[in-house]
Amino acid sequence: MDNTTSLFVLFFGLNHVHESNKSLDKQKKILHHRLSISNSKIRITNFMLVTRRMYDDLDFKSHFWLTRSSIEVLMCKVKPFYFLRTTKMGRPLVAFEKSTLMTVWYMSNTETFRQVGDRFGLSRGLACRTIHKFIRALSKILDEFIFWPIGSSTTDFKNLRVNYMPNTIGCIDGCHIRIHAPKAKRSDYTNRKMFQSIVLMAVCNAHLEFTYIFSGWPGSSHDARVFKNCSLGNTLLETLQEIISRSHHLLGDSAFPLLENVLVPFKATHILTDKEKLFNRRLSSTRVVIEQAFGLLLRRFRRLKFLNIILYNILGTLLYFKCFRSLESKSIELMSLTVTGACILHNLAIINNDLIEVDENLTDVDTLIEGHVSSASMAVTQRNGISKRNELASR
């Protein structure tokens, strides 16, 4: 009896210990679940499902300002550059489709990183880094969508306007993109309209496609100075026959220097003749396409109405410019890449026949027009430009 009793007591004790452990494990799971709920942030988890399956084509474009087919083309072009650097360490990568839609949403709206991250189920810092990564990959396909029209026909402008300027291959102008500049460099980026900006200098064709862009120059600079320092300006000033034949030309406003391949209006420094007035009207009527291109760009990608690039570290903590001077140049670089990415998406949409209405009242385009300053190095090309302009005006 003693052995049987001992075994019974031992079995009962082990069973009691097992039940106690199960109870403790259950309590631990409940406690861990409560702690995880209290520490985790509530995020939108089904937005991708709604976007992919429930939005019709009209709703999709009204939110992203691009059609589904344009998004698919974008994904095919960017994907090889987006996954160049992969690692098996760290947290899982954000799905490429989510990265694409999140970046397009960021470009097409004015929401903050916190709002975009909440919409797509990511933290603020991870959303910021993912969008910047995609924008850097997007800049790699610049040459596929923005390229100079070598050997192109000038009949596109002829079909666009009855009263057009002959032999025109493009129109050039500068657009000021409003930014939040670092405090130490506010004066460098403050333009004559007293707001901080970077300059987007661009050339477009008759179809409103950009054929050349140059972005990131401080807004305090004159258009003539930006033109002189960009690659296009250097090429036109030094080797005229390299990219534009002698018989063809670009059209610009009075802020640009008069060159053999860049025609500008007659200035009202004297009483203009009827032929000079007609020349100015024809030039202005043809050159309006660059204003329309800028208006279309700013309407589709509303992020460009005000750029405020905020950088976060790996923990999602804000990095302040006053503490990290090296981040100032990185911020301006990302602003310039954002503008470049918007121009690439602009051309992609036009090529894919993804059109929106052009606003004829271009109130959102902040272009600065000032008189240009001539220099001795441009004397020869200016004389050729004057002769060419007088010849066209006399026709």
Side-chain angles (χ1 to χ4, degrees):
M1 289 294 294
D2 293 339
N3 292 335
T4 304
T5 304
S6 300
L7 290 174
F8 178 78
V9 171
L10 180 60
F11 174 78
F12 180 78
L14 291 174
N15 187 48
H16 178 72
V17 170
H18 179 69
E19 293 294 332
S20 299
N21 290 336
K22 288 177 62 176
S23 178
L24 288 174
D25 292 339
K26 186 176 181 180
Q27 291 179 2
K28 286 180 180 180
K29 289 181 180 180
I30 294 174
L31 180 61
H32 178 73
H33 180 67
R34 290 178 178 177
L35 289 174
S36 63
I37 292 177
S38 61
N39 292 331
S40 63
K41 296 181 179 180
I42 305 301
R43 305 187 193 281
I44 299 174
T45 56
N46 61 343
F47 183 72
M48 285 288 293
L49 178 64
V50 173
T51 300
R52 286 185 297 183
R53 299 181 182 178
M54 299 184 181
Y55 276 174
D56 58 25
D57 293 339
L58 183 62
D59 288 337
F60 187 91
K61 186 172 181 177
S62 67
H63 287 289
F64 291 91
W65 287 87
L66 291 174
T67 60
R68 281 190 169 91
S69 61
S70 297
I71 296 292
E72 291 174 0
V73 173
L74 175 64
M75 292 174 64
C76 292
K77 295 293 184 179
V78 176
K79 192 171 184 178
F81 301 96
Y82 187 81
F83 291 110
L84 279 178
R85 297 179 180 179
T86 57
T87 177
K88 296 181 180 179
M89 300 177 62
R91 71 177 70 193
L93 294 176
V94 179
F96 180 64
E97 183 182 6
K98 178 182 285 190
S99 302
T100 305
L101 292 175
M102 184 166 60
T103 304
V104 174
W105 183 278
Y106 168 80
M107 300 283 283
S108 304
N109 297 278
T110 57
E111 293 183 355
T112 62
F113 287 120
R114 177 183 59 81
Q115 293 170 316
V116 175
D118 178 71
R119 183 180 297 276
F120 286 88
L122 300 176
S123 65
R124 177 179 55 182
L126 183 57
C128 171
R129 294 191 301 276
T130 302
I131 290 171
H132 289 165
K133 177 183 177 182
F134 191 94
I135 289 176
R136 291 183 185 278
L138 178 61
S139 65
K140 302 295 184 182
I141 62 173
L142 172 66
D143 295 336
E144 292 190 44
F145 291 95
I146 301 178
F147 48 87
W148 192 253
I150 299 176
S152 62
S153 175
T154 60
T155 56
D156 293 336
F157 282 96
K158 181 179 180 180
N159 298 330
L160 186 66
R161 296 277 192 280
V162 175
N163 190 20
Y164 80 106
M165 185 66 65
N167 298 331
T168 300
I169 65 168
C171 301
I172 185 172
D173 204 354
C175 176
H176 285 256
I177 307 297
R178 192 183 295 263
I179 68 167
H180 179 76
K183 287 185 178 181
K185 297 183 178 180
R186 286 282 174 87
S187 59
D188 295 339
Y189 291 90
T190 303
N191 57 44
R192 73 180 185 90
K193 293 190 176 181
M194 303 310 297
F195 65 86
Q196 288 79 43
S197 65
I198 57 176
V199 178
L200 166 63
M201 183 155 290
V203 178
C204 80
N205 58 21
H207 303 291
L208 308 185
E209 298 173 0
F210 293 119
T211 57
Y212 175 83
I213 60 169
F214 178 75
S215 65
W217 204 265
S220 61
S221 302
H222 188 275
D223 276 354
R225 182 182 177 187
V226 179
F227 176 75
K228 185 178 179 180
N229 285 274
C230 71
S231 59
L232 177 62
N234 287 329
T235 303
L236 292 178
L237 291 171
E238 296 177 4
T239 55
L240 297 178
Q241 302 302 317
E242 185 173 343
I243 60 173
I244 302 179
S245 64
R246 191 177 294 273
S247 60
H248 295 82
H249 44 258
L250 300 173
L251 300 182
D253 57 18
S254 59
F256 292 91
L258 174 60
L259 305 174
E260 186 174 7
N261 296 111
V262 181
L263 297 184
V264 299
F266 287 98
K267 290 187 177 181
T269 55
H270 61 281
I271 299 177
L272 299 180
T273 65
D274 292 339
K275 290 185 177 180
E276 290 174 341
K277 291 179 181 178
L278 177 60
F279 176 88
N280 284 357
R281 286 197 297 270
R282 293 168 65 189
L283 187 146
S284 177
S285 176
T286 308
R287 200 190 64 83
V288 73
V289 294
I290 185 63
E291 303 288 351
Q292 292 177 338
F294 284 146
L296 185 63
L297 177 72
L298 295 179
R299 185 182 180 189
R300 190 189 293 267
F301 303 109
R302 301 179 182 182
R303 176 65 52 184
L304 300 187
K305 292 185 178 180
F306 181 73
L307 278 178
N308 184 17
I309 300 297
I310 301 176
L311 303 176
Y312 296 91
N313 62 14
I314 195 67
L315 299 177
T317 307
L318 179 65
L319 301 178
Y320 292 95
F321 293 131
K322 63 182 180 180
C323 299
F324 299 87
R325 285 185 170 271
S326 62
L327 293 177
E328 294 180 358
S329 58
K330 188 175 181 180
S331 171
I332 298 300
E333 176 198 3
L334 286 171
M335 290 180 186
S336 177
L337 288 176
T338 302
V339 176
T340 300
C343 294
I344 294 172
L345 295 177
H346 168 90
N347 276 16
L348 185 150
I350 294 178
I351 294 172
N352 202 45
N353 202 29
D354 184 0
L355 305 178
I356 61 175
E357 293 183 2
V358 180
D359 189 2
E360 297 293 341
N361 300 318
L362 304 173
T363 56
D364 292 331
V365 182
D366 294 303
T367 54
L368 303 184
I369 301 176
E370 305 176 38
H372 71 272
V373 181
S374 61
S375 62
S377 62
M378 297 187 292
V380 176
T381 54
Q382 283 182 333
R383 284 197 297 268
N384 294 337
I386 292 173
S387 301
K388 188 175 184 179
R389 184 174 64 175
N390 292 334
E391 179 185 353
L392 290 173
S394 62
R395 292 182 181 179

